[in-house]
Amino acid sequence: DKGIIKRYKWNKKNDNSLSQNNVWWIYEGSMGYIWIGTSKKGLNRLDRKTGEFKRYNHSDSDPSSLGHKRNPQSLSNNRVTPVAEAADGSLWLGTDSGLNRFDPLTGIFTRYTEANGLANDGIQGLCIDDNGHIWVSTFNGISRLDPISGKVWNFGPSDGLQGIEFW
């Protein structure tokens, strides 16, 4: 509105700065935060009022990463490609290690991978349809997830797609 551009960048001396300068995805959420996916340093939430960032990263010490059946407290992977918001305010994040549902109010991540039926764990694109289904493009076709039932449908060349890899 004012014709002003503000630049944000990583500052190794400030944990409240952007986690890295290589940004892959930017999304403005309904609560007014700016969500930023990076190529190697996870997800960032920018509070435009304070100009400070909160970082969300993968942690190898997360109990779910160690095989425990607990709610994940971290991303499945630090390469965050697409970001979209569902009607309930949750964020859906694509990574190189599957699809993540993030509840910004609780800080809990839910992960969906090939083990849950996705065509591939490399998520390159993501959108949410009018029925709340999550559609993801991968390196091995397109998957549709019903987040309520957890059921996954996969689509490939036998369904009329021209190939299997989608960006």
Side-chain angles (χ1 to χ4, degrees), residues 1-37:
D1 292 340
K2 298 177 185 175
I4 298 172
I5 296 173
K6 176 149 174 117
R7 182 176 181 198
Y8 295 96
K9 60 184 184 175
W10 172 66
N11 178 343
K12 66 181 175 181
K13 297 177 183 176
N14 182 356
D15 288 339
N16 293 319
S17 72
L18 187 63
S19 63
Q20 81 167 128
N21 292 328
N22 196 355
V23 171
W24 286 58
W25 203 268
I26 300 172
Y27 181 83
E28 182 175 9
S30 63
M31 295 174 64
Y33 295 117
I34 305 293
W35 296 93
I36 302 163

Side-chain angles (χ1 to χ4, degrees), residues 71-85:
N71 289 326
Q73 301 298 317
S74 73
L75 282 164
S76 60
N77 185 285
N78 279 330
R79 182 177 174 267
V80 177
T81 45
V83 179
E85 183 176 13

Side-chain angles (χ1 to χ4, degrees), residues 51-80:
E52 293 187 347
F53 289 84
K54 179 169 176 61
R55 300 174 183 175
Y56 301 90
N57 302 98
H58 171 73
S59 170
D60 288 333
S61 63
D62 183 334
S64 63
S65 296
L66 302 172
H68 300 290
K69 299 219 182 242
R70 296 188 185 158
N71 289 326
Q73 301 298 317
S74 73
L75 282 164
S76 60
N77 185 285
N78 279 330
R79 182 177 174 267
V80 177

